[in-house]
Amino acid sequence: MSAANGEEAMVRWSLKSRLVASTVIVVAVLIVLLFVVARHFAYAQLRHVLQAQQDTQVRLVAEQLDDKFEERATILHHVAAQLAPMLGRSPAELKAFAATTAAIPHIFNWVFLAGTDGSRIFDSRLTGEQANFSDREYFRKILRGDELAISEPLTTRLTGAPGVIMAVPVRAADGRLLAMLAGGLNLQQANFLLDLSNNRIGATGIYCLITTGPSRRYVMHPTGAMVLQPESAQGDACGLAEADSAWSFGGLAQPVVARQILRTSGWELIAVLPPKEAFSPLTQTRPKVIVTVLGALLLTGLAVWLVIRWLLKPLDQLHRVVRRSASDPRAYTCLPAGKPDEIGELSLAFSHLMRQLLERNAALQNAKEVAETRAKYIQTIANHVPDLISYLDTHERYVFVNAAYERRFNLSANQIVGRTLRDLWGDEIYLSTLAKRIRQALAGEVVNFSVEWREDSTTQIFDVTYQPVANADSGPVVGIHVFVRDVTQERMKVEHLEQKMMSDHLTGLLNRTGFEQRLASAMAAAERDRQKVALLLIDLDNFKLVNDTYGHAFGDALLTLFARRLKSCARGADVVARIGGDEFAVILAGFPSEKTVERIAGDIVNHCAQSYEIYGLNLQCGATVGAASHLGDRQISRNELFLKADTALYAAKNAGKARFALFPLLDAPDATPCPGDPS
């Protein structure tokens, strides 16, 4: 008897222990989650504030650097203008003049002058030594016509020190290039770039300056040995490592980084604030928070154990009654009932459960018979529907198909049931269309899509719907209802109507609606593939005069002949449309250069300028073309491209018609006459 009591006591204790442990764990998880969420929002807010401050500061520093570069460029241009009439003098005199210029010694570590062949004329660092700069990229830029060239960081040939060269052209009064004047900034001597490496963000933050392009190198770094060294990885934060503390996980290990591109040199200015300094307000308060959380957990565990021990006393009494009922199925009749406590409610529920078991068995048998009858009705209805109706299990196997499947695949229902979706529809359609959609349906999403079935020389289009079936609301998917409808004839009718709506009844070309759709598609494709697209607007000159003089029949015939000539001038892939009475348009896509646009525009003007024979009369009507092109590396609207082409068209009209003009109008308002233009 004592052993049984000990066993019962152990069971009760185990239950209490589990409840206490579970409750404490839940509370602990909630507290930790609250701590993590609070930490996340505090970190996010702090990082947002720090990032905004640092972005502003880096932008101001970048503007100061740009101002200093521009100030030095202005001084170099000024000195170059003074040196231009003095180039006939000796190098010593030129060097002495440059040395006496007030600003030069204070803003550059050295200056030199080179001729157009790259040979050194003078250098403020030495005399008499010959050197040639023709292999330097900044010298080539000056030869190509740049007014200012800022070199990438380089190692100077004379001293071997790292430096940056700013070069400007020395030009004659007529604009001829006479020489190149350059000023050098030694990255190891005092100048505004070296001053940058000594500046700090906060107490420990740093600045660095990096070149852009495929080979990024440090122009300036607080660690002098890093100058001219390549960046370790794209997006490197000046080589500053993440926090190495075990507690600095997640965002706390990431420094605050701000970047700004210099407009003068194209270099990237980077400011980095180490995470240790940036997030010190959070890391300093962390030990106190942890101690507080642990204390709260201990107190919570003790309180929960006391409360549960008191609450489980009524359950102990019920436990003894239930154990006796295990050997006697009718022992439930001995359970106390009618008491307004937990034992009375549980006893009453147990009694009701036992009494209802037989009733439920009978009801289940009756429901099974009703379900079988209804399934037969559903099968009969589904077999009379012309659409394909089926049910798939979670392994994509057919469980049910209607008679339409038998007619469509020439297989009996028994032959189809058990096959997979891939077996029935084939690998090509399954992999290209069905696989992705069936995964969406198995994830609980209602999917509707179209699929094309090609067989022999015919193509059928089916509208397919996948309707997932779940055990309960928001429960796991247990199957999929599939509805397939043949919409081939409907699609053909719609496409035929769309084709009629987008065609011009007189010329057979696209009308304004079709033109708008094709222009939108061409511009979207150009921006996606970064290719060129061009729009040509064409007006038939003097059409109104022909229409008023000879009548509408002559006018319609002229428009038809003009449309044929216009289409013959375009390439096979180009789009030709009539967008108004005597207004036409051509859309060019995928052309190699602007020469193609000029050639096609010239062909249109020349070919359409030839006489038209209409009802025995020879009529002379030229064409005026305005063209505009767009490279898909930036987004512009159709209206913007249309406006550019229209502007070019009016420029060509104002210049005398029977010619073409390209946007931008470099010689506006004169347009470009085509070869053979009578004007």
Side-chain angles (χ1 to χ4, degrees), residues 525-533 589-591 630-633:
E527 292 172 359
R528 182 184 65 246
D529 302 331
R530 292 185 173 273
Q531 294 183 351
K532 291 183 177 181
V533 62
F591 53 89
H630 163 54
L631 178 60
D633 57 355

Side-chain angles (χ1 to χ4, degrees), residues 242-258:
E242 295 183 354
D244 54 2
S245 171
W247 292 96
S248 298
F249 56 87
L252 293 178
Q254 303 293 331
V256 180
V257 182

Side-chain angles (χ1 to χ4, degrees), residues 214-255:
S215 301
R216 293 164 61 92
R217 294 191 301 163
Y218 287 103
V219 181
M220 188 53 62
H221 195 279
T223 303
M226 295 291 291
V227 177
L228 299 187
Q229 295 301 314
E231 185 183 30
S232 59
Q234 183 69 26
D236 183 23
C238 295
L240 190 67
E242 295 183 354
D244 54 2
S245 171
W247 292 96
S248 298
F249 56 87
L252 293 178
Q254 303 293 331

Side-chain angles (χ1 to χ4, degrees), residues 68-145:
K68 292 181 183 297
F69 272 119
E70 291 174 349
E71 175 187 358
R72 282 156 177 76
T74 301
I75 292 174
L76 280 178
H77 279 294
H78 179 70
V79 175
Q82 292 178 311
L83 284 175
M86 301 171 59
L87 289 181
R89 301 183 184 181
S90 66
E93 290 179 306
L94 296 176
K95 178 180 178 180
F97 172 78
T100 58
T101 301
I104 289 293
H106 300 290
I107 64 173
F108 291 106
N109 299 113
W110 78 93
V111 293
F112 61 89
L113 185 68
T116 56
D117 59 352
S119 62
R120 191 200 319 263
I121 298 176
F122 75 79
D123 192 319
S124 64
R125 295 171 294 179
L126 52 78
T127 57
E129 183 174 336
Q130 296 297 321
N132 194 282
F133 303 96
S134 58
D135 61 337
R136 293 294 195 180
E137 180 60 26
Y138 60 85
F139 180 79
R140 296 194 186 104
K141 288 182 179 180
I142 296 300
L143 289 182
R144 289 196 295 265

Side-chain angles (χ1 to χ4, degrees), residues 280-300:
S280 59
L282 296 180
T283 56
Q284 290 172 359
T285 59
R286 185 164 46 205
K288 298 178 182 178
V289 174
I290 293 175
V291 171
T292 303
V293 170
L294 292 177
L297 288 176
L298 290 175
L299 293 175
T300 302

Side-chain angles (χ1 to χ4, degrees), residues 33-79:
L33 286 176
L34 289 174
F35 172 73
V36 171
V37 170
R39 171 190 172 277
H40 169 75
F41 283 109
Y43 157 74
Q45 184 63 27
L46 182 56
R47 174 172 282 277
H48 176 73
V49 172
L50 291 174
Q51 189 69 57
Q53 293 175 347
Q54 196 158 315
D55 287 342
T56 301
Q57 189 167 349
V58 167
R59 184 165 59 252
L60 293 175
V61 173
E63 291 175 357
Q64 292 175 1
L65 291 177
D66 283 324
D67 290 342
K68 292 181 183 297
F69 272 119
E70 291 174 349
E71 175 187 358
R72 282 156 177 76
T74 301
I75 292 174
L76 280 178
H77 279 294
H78 179 70
V79 175

Side-chain angles (χ1 to χ4, degrees), residues 102 187 267 387 484 516 665:
L187 300 181
W267 300 337
D387 297 342
V484 182
E516 293 286 352
L665 306 172

Side-chain angles (χ1 to χ4, degrees), residues 256-572:
V256 180
V257 182
R259 303 171 183 271
Q260 183 70 30
I261 299 297
L262 301 185
R263 65 175 183 274
T264 51
S265 61
W267 300 337
E268 185 175 35
L269 175 64
I270 304 176
V272 183
L273 183 63
K276 182 176 181 180
E277 178 183 350
F279 305 109
S280 59
L282 296 180
T283 56
Q284 290 172 359
T285 59
R286 185 164 46 205
K288 298 178 182 178
V289 174
I290 293 175
V291 171
T292 303
V293 170
L294 292 177
L297 288 176
L298 290 175
L299 293 175
T300 302
L302 179 60
V304 168
W305 184 81
L306 293 174
V307 171
I308 290 178
R309 182 180 179 182
W310 177 74
L311 290 175
L312 286 182
K313 286 183 179 180
L315 187 60
D316 291 338
Q317 299 173 2
L318 178 62
H319 175 254
R320 288 191 292 269
V321 175
V322 172
R323 290 190 64 181
R324 288 197 303 269
S325 300
S327 58
D328 182 7
R330 299 187 61 81
Y332 71 91
T333 58
C334 299
L335 291 173
K339 294 182 179 181
D341 56 13
E342 293 85 352
I343 296 176
E345 293 178 2
L346 290 176
S347 299
L348 183 60
F350 185 71
S351 300
H352 285 318
L353 177 64
M354 297 299 294
R355 285 194 298 268
Q356 290 174 1
L357 281 177
L358 292 177
E359 298 175 4
R360 291 290 179 90
N361 287 335
L364 286 174
Q365 182 62 32
N366 183 51
K368 181 179 178 182
E369 294 175 358
V370 172
E372 290 176 351
T373 303
R374 290 179 178 177
K376 292 179 180 179
Y377 291 154
I378 294 174
Q379 178 76 52
T380 302
I381 294 172
N383 287 337
H384 286 81
V385 175
D387 297 342
L388 279 68
I389 301 175
S390 61
Y391 181 81
L392 296 172
D393 63 15
T394 54
H395 300 292
E396 303 180 17
R397 294 187 179 277
Y398 285 96
V399 178
F400 165 81
V401 295
N402 68 343
Y405 270 88
E406 298 179 337
R407 295 189 295 271
R408 178 68 186 79
F409 293 98
N410 292 322
L411 296 171
S412 67
N414 291 333
Q415 290 175 311
I416 297 175
V417 170
R419 292 194 179 193
T420 65
L421 191 67
R422 186 171 185 171
D423 293 338
L424 194 62
W425 290 88
D427 290 341
E428 181 180 354
I429 294 180
Y430 178 83
L431 295 175
S432 64
T433 308
L434 303 183
K436 176 181 177 182
R437 305 307 199 289
I438 198 70
R439 286 195 296 269
Q440 292 176 269
L442 289 172
E445 181 181 348
V446 178
V447 184
N448 183 266
F449 61 97
S450 296
V451 62
E452 291 187 2
W453 177 285
R454 294 183 177 86
E455 190 173 21
D456 298 332
S457 60
T458 62
T459 299
Q460 289 179 283
I461 303 175
F462 295 96
D463 185 75
V464 184
T465 299
Y466 288 157
Q467 177 72 51
V469 180
N471 263 335
D473 292 342
S474 302
V477 174
V478 296
I480 301 172
H481 289 305
V482 181
F483 305 95
V484 182
R485 187 164 64 93
D486 188 345
V487 294
T488 306
Q489 296 299 322
E490 297 177 13
R491 294 288 178 88
M492 291 176 62
K493 290 178 181 178
V494 170
E495 291 176 0
H496 180 68
L497 290 175
E498 288 180 348
Q499 184 65 29
K500 290 181 66 177
M501 290 175 62
M502 292 193 300
S503 296
D504 179 56
H505 69 282
L506 178 62
T507 63
L509 303 177
L510 285 179
N511 60 12
R512 185 61 178 256
T513 302
F515 163 75
E516 293 286 352
Q517 292 186 8
R518 296 296 294 273
L519 180 59
S521 300
M523 292 186 68
E527 292 172 359
R528 182 184 65 246
D529 302 331
R530 292 185 173 273
Q531 294 183 351
K532 291 183 177 181
V533 62
L535 173 62
L536 279 63
L537 297 181
I538 304 101
D539 267 10
L540 182 59
D541 299 334
N542 302 322
F543 173 73
K544 186 176 184 306
L545 180 61
V546 172
N547 215 30
D548 293 343
T549 303
Y550 299 102
H552 292 294
F554 271 82
D556 291 347
L558 176 59
L559 289 174
T560 302
L561 293 176
F562 180 76
R564 292 176 186 171
R565 292 188 183 182
L566 186 60
K567 195 167 183 63
S568 69
C569 295
R571 302 172 303 172

